[in-house]
């Protein structure tokens, strides 16, 4: 067994600093998914910054060199570059707060956020068509119910797989979302159509209050990967090639806005901590909405009619 010695700041390496940061994340009780993200990101960062590098050697040029190296990697797109650079920035600011290195301002390049393509009205008609309950499987029926649920609430994947039967309040016309990204419980009102769908689903699903609402065929909790693949297969069976859990959330937000919904109410339903986050979320959808604006271009339509009439 080695002797116990006092470790001074100058001896701390980048690996030591990363380990301490992850310990701090756990102490702050960050979500498991968030901690896993930082673990994966640190692995990527260590490909460019030697883990034995003394923390005192980390300067602004270290950040700049890292960003340049990421730009030169053809496998890393702008969004990934921004994510990795942002995570390194977070790490280095943590080292500064611990006074392991002197303070210096860090500026990283911002990535242009690419909008996620939402479902078209034609695709929604296919996805929302109710299956024949006399001939379909429970999985298909459950996928249909989940599709209706996602398009009515905009909840995230981790939220929907953790909803329990007791969270569905049909008498109060609300559903309690207890597992959220910011760990704050959401209470979302149920519209008449979704209430009817859930009421019928529960008659087939059965189960106890503590059971998960959207279970697997054995009645247990469905995993994150399983729910993704089930909806992928469901979409494919309906002739819809698009998939992705977050696409439902984007579609819900887009439809809410285009149908005249209140942005403040949308913020509460989506569980955003501020209106600014919701506004930024909607900005991502702008280019997608522009496609609709161009498709339903009234001026162009009447211009065609004028040409036909020789005006």
């Amino acid at each position: 067994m080695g002797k116990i010695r006092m470790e001074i700041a100058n001896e701390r390496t980048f690996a030591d600093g990363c380990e301490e940061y992850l310990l701090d994340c756990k102490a702050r009780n960050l979500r498991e998914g968030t901690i896993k993200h930082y673990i994966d990101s640190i692995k990527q960062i260590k490909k460019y910054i030697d883990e034995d590098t003394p923390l005192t050697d980390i300067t602004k040029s270290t950040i700049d060199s890292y960003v340049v190296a990421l730009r030169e990697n053809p496998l890393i797109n702008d969004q990934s570059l921004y994510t990795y650079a942002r995570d390194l920035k977070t790490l280095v600011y943590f080292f500064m707060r611990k006074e392991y290195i002197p303070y210096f301002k860090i500026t990283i390049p911002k990535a242009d956020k690419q909008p996620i393509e939402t479902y078209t009205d034609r695709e929604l008609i296919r996805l929302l068509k109710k299956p024949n309950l006399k001939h379909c499987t429970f999985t298909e029926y459950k996928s249909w119910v989940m599709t209706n649920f996602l398009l009515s609430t905009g909840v995230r994947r981790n939220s929907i797989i953790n909803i329990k039967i007791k969270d569905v309040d049909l008498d109060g016309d609300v559903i309690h979302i207890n597992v959220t990204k910011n760990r704050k419980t959401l209470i979302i009102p149920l519209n008449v159509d979704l209430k009817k769908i859930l009421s019928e689903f529960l008659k087939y699903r059965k189960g106890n209050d503590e059971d998960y609402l959207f279970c697997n065929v054995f009645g247990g909790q469905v995993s994150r990967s399983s729910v993704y693949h089930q909806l992928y297969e469901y979409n494919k069976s309906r002739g819809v090639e698009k998939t992705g859990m977050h696409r439902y959330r984007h579609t819900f937000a887009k439809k809410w806005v285009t149908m005249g919904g209140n942005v403040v109410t949308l913020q509460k339903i989506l569980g955003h901590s501020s209106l600014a986050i919701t506004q930024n979320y909607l900005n991502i959808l702008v280019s997608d909405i522009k496609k609709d604006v161009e498709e339903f271009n009234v001026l162009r339509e009447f211009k065609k009619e004028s040409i036909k009439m020789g005006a």
Side-chain angles (χ1 to χ4, degrees):
M1 181 179 294
K3 293 182 178 179
I4 298 175
R5 63 189 180 87
M6 297 295 288
E7 183 181 33
I8 59 176
N10 289 344
E11 293 181 336
R12 294 182 188 273
T13 65
F14 182 66
D16 294 330
C18 290
E19 186 176 342
E20 186 173 351
Y21 176 72
L22 292 176
L23 183 62
D24 178 75
C25 289
K26 294 176 182 178
R28 287 186 286 132
N29 197 29
L30 295 187
R31 292 188 313 116
E32 184 178 337
T34 301
I35 294 175
K36 184 180 184 303
H37 165 79
Y38 281 124
I39 291 174
D40 293 339
S41 188
I42 287 172
K43 288 179 181 178
Q44 179 68 29
I45 294 172
K46 285 181 178 179
K47 294 179 181 178
Y48 297 89
I49 300 178
D50 193 303
E51 62 179 20
D52 292 327
T53 300
L55 288 183
T56 50
D57 287 354
I58 294 179
T59 63
K60 184 178 182 301
S61 63
T62 307
I63 311 293
D64 294 339
S65 298
Y66 177 65
V67 171
V68 170
L70 290 177
R71 286 194 186 282
E72 294 175 349
N73 188 333
L75 300 178
I76 296 180
N77 58 33
D78 284 348
Q79 185 58 50
S80 296
L81 186 153
Y82 169 75
T83 300
Y84 292 137
R86 180 197 61 195
D87 290 345
L88 178 58
K89 176 181 176 179
T90 301
L91 269 174
V92 175
Y93 274 141
F94 172 76
F95 301 153
M96 292 177 188
R97 289 197 301 273
K98 302 294 286 188
E99 298 184 348
Y100 297 150
I101 59 177
Y103 173 83
F104 58 87
K105 186 176 181 180
I106 302 174
T107 303
I108 60 175
K110 290 188 176 181
D112 293 331
K113 292 189 175 182
Q114 298 298 318
I116 297 177
E117 191 176 359
T118 54
Y119 290 110
T120 65
D121 288 349
R122 183 174 298 179
E123 289 169 334
L124 290 176
I125 289 173
R126 292 181 179 180
L127 294 174
L128 295 175
K129 183 179 179 181
K130 187 175 182 179
N132 187 327
L133 300 188
K134 294 181 179 180
H135 303 290
C136 72
T137 62
F138 174 73
T139 298
E140 182 184 358
Y141 176 48
K142 180 189 68 176
S143 297
W144 176 77
V145 175
M146 289 182 68
T147 299
N148 279 270
F149 188 91
L150 290 167
L151 289 170
S152 296
T153 62
V155 300
R156 295 182 174 89
R157 171 168 54 176
N158 201 45
S159 295
I160 196 171
I161 65 174
N162 281 288
I163 296 173
K164 294 186 176 181
I165 292 177
K166 67 178 182 180
D167 299 327
V168 182
D169 183 0
L170 295 177
D171 293 327
D173 296 339
V174 296
I175 186 160
H176 299 260
I177 310 296
N178 295 310
V179 177
T180 63
K181 188 174 182 179
N182 60 12
R183 297 186 177 183
K184 294 181 180 179
T185 299
L186 287 174
I187 301 177
I188 301 178
L190 295 173
N191 60 51
V192 175
D193 296 302
L194 183 58
K195 177 181 177 180
K196 181 179 179 181
I197 289 171
L198 290 177
S199 179
E200 179 189 63
F201 176 70
L202 286 170
K203 292 177 182 178
Y204 287 95
R205 192 258 177 263
K206 300 182 176 63
N208 301 313
D209 285 350
E210 291 296 329
D211 291 334
Y212 291 98
L213 179 64
F214 297 111
C215 60
N216 56 34
V217 292
F218 301 105
Q221 184 180 25
V222 66
S223 67
R224 288 169 57 88
S225 58
S226 293
V227 73
Y228 171 84
H229 288 295
Q230 285 173 14
L231 289 176
Y232 169 80
E233 293 297 334
Y234 174 78
N235 285 16
K236 195 173 180 181
S237 69
R238 296 297 179 99
V240 178
E241 294 301 322
K242 295 194 194 105
T243 190
M245 296 291 292
H246 219 64
R247 196 182 304 278
Y248 292 101
R249 188 170 169 86
H250 278 265
T251 303
F252 167 75
K254 176 186 173 182
K255 283 295 183 184
W256 182 278
V257 173
T258 55
M259 293 175 70
N262 185 284
V263 178
V264 176
T265 304
L266 178 62
Q267 173 203 339
K268 294 177 181 178
I269 294 176
L270 293 178
H272 291 159
S273 58
S274 71
L275 192 59
I277 296 176
T278 307
Q279 190 60 56
N280 183 57
Y281 192 87
L282 295 177
N283 288 339
I284 300 175
L285 295 172
V286 167
S287 61
D288 190 48
I289 294 174
K290 282 181 179 178
K291 293 179 184 178
D292 291 344
V293 172
E294 190 61 35
E295 182 179 351
F296 300 103
N297 188 337
V298 176
L299 299 181
R300 179 172 297 172
E301 186 63 30
F302 277 88
K303 183 177 180 181
K304 291 178 182 178
E305 292 300 320
S306 296
I307 294 174
K308 289 179 182 180
M309 297 173 62

